[in-house]
Amino acid sequence: MASPFVAPVTRQVSGRAAPASIPSGPESGQPLAATVAEMPVLDASGRRVLFGSLFRERRAVVVFVRHFLCYICKEYVEDLAKIPKSFLQEANVTLIVIGQSSYHHIEPFCKLTGYSHEIYVDPEREIYKRLGMKRGEEIASSVLNISGKSPHIKSNILSGSIRSLWRAVTGPLFDFQGDPAQQGGTVILGPGNNIHFIHRDRNRLDHKPINSVLQLVGVQHVDFSSRPSVIHV
């Protein structure tokens, strides 16, 4: 199905409602389709929540990850976990991670990464599809040379892949915790069904640097140089 969106907005947006004087049209992006807003995601208990309700009242940064066994996603979410809730509250912004596994994997993933902000899953990848998130990977030099290319990824491909495999074989369910071919992305939405920015990852390392996204919604810069201790299992 063709994506209903136009080119993303790259100007800075604040956490408060946009003033009425901002023009509508291609430059500010089209609204999120109501059918997408009404699609459900699942929380850690398996409860269905309408996607649109997550950003109905205030702006939200929604990060779609590849799958929960992906070590790159794990390390990216570890850094998302370092964003103080006070920074988000001050800008009136919600931070949301969405995966595409069974909801049973949410709690273990949060314990592993230290992530305590909002998180849901879209097991059938319907929202991924409607937002035009890519499936498959565009090979780029950043993928072939992972070391040092992302401020958020610390492992090399060998050590990261070994840890991912170990988590797979030692977990209660031996699965990939999502489609390994699915790519993620970042979307800024709300209040209401308003899209302010959308980035679709072309490959596993094509995620947006976190501070560049936070700047778009007026959230303070976060220092990711010192990371909390996270147990690798």
Side-chain angles (χ1 to χ4, degrees):
M1 178 174 179
S3 172
F5 308 116
V6 295
V9 176
T10 55
R11 61 177 171 79
Q12 180 168 331
V13 292
S14 71
R16 299 172 178 80
S21 60
I22 293 179
S24 60
E27 188 172 346
S28 59
Q30 295 180 359
L32 181 71
T35 52
V36 180
E38 292 167 2
M39 288 180 171
V41 291
L42 305 180
D43 67 12
S45 64
R47 182 175 65 96
R48 291 162 62 94
V49 179
L50 293 183
F51 181 54
S53 71
L54 304 179
F55 42 85
R56 181 175 297 142
E57 302 298 329
R58 58 180 173 174
R59 199 145 297 179
V61 173
V62 185
V63 177
F64 291 82
V65 298
R66 293 180 63 238
H67 58 89
F68 287 163
L69 273 183
C70 169
Y71 76 90
I72 291 173
C73 298
K74 168 187 168 290
E75 295 186 1
Y76 188 79
V77 173
E78 283 175 356
D79 274 2
L80 288 176
K82 293 183 66 176
I83 302 172
K85 291 185 177 180
S86 60
F87 285 16
L88 298 169
Q89 291 167 354
E90 184 179 298
N92 196 28
V93 170
T94 303
L95 174 63
I96 301 166
V97 165
I98 294 184
Q100 37 115 5
S101 74
S102 163
Y103 71 88
H104 295 98
H105 294 300
I106 291 178
E107 187 174 348
F109 185 71
C110 289
K111 288 181 178 178
L112 181 68
T113 59
Y115 181 84
S116 62
H117 303 290
E118 291 190 45
I119 183 169
Y120 305 90
V121 291
D122 173 23
E124 303 301 321
R125 299 184 294 114
E126 289 300 329
I127 298 173
Y128 282 76
K129 296 172 188 174
R130 295 297 186 94
L131 290 176
M133 300 301 175
K134 299 180 182 299
R135 189 172 183 277
E137 188 161 37
E138 294 182 22
I139 301 299
S141 59
S142 59
V143 175
L144 298 175
N145 183 17
I146 287 179
S147 176
K149 292 298 182 181
S150 168
H152 308 294
I153 308 307
K154 310 315 191 274
S155 298
N156 60 45
I157 190 168
L158 178 59
S159 63
S161 298
I162 289 173
R163 289 192 185 110
S164 293
L165 180 60
W166 179 252
R167 286 199 287 132
V169 300
T170 58
L173 297 173
F174 182 51
D175 61 34
F176 285 102
Q177 301 186 22
D179 182 350
Q182 179 65 58
Q183 302 301 319
T186 301
V187 189
I188 298 174
L189 303 117
N193 294 346
N194 298 306
I195 300 171
H196 304 282
F197 174 87
I198 184 165
H199 171 81
R200 301 173 181 89
D201 297 349
R202 296 170 298 167
N203 55 60
R204 67 191 70 181
L205 275 176
D206 192 37
H207 49 253
K208 295 293 290 182
I210 295 171
N211 274 322
S212 69
V213 176
L214 296 182
Q215 182 180 15
L216 290 174
V217 289
V219 174
Q220 294 183 53
H221 180 279
V222 177
D223 181 8
F224 295 109
S225 59
S226 59
R227 292 157 57 99
S229 298
V230 177
I231 299 174
H232 294 288
V233 296

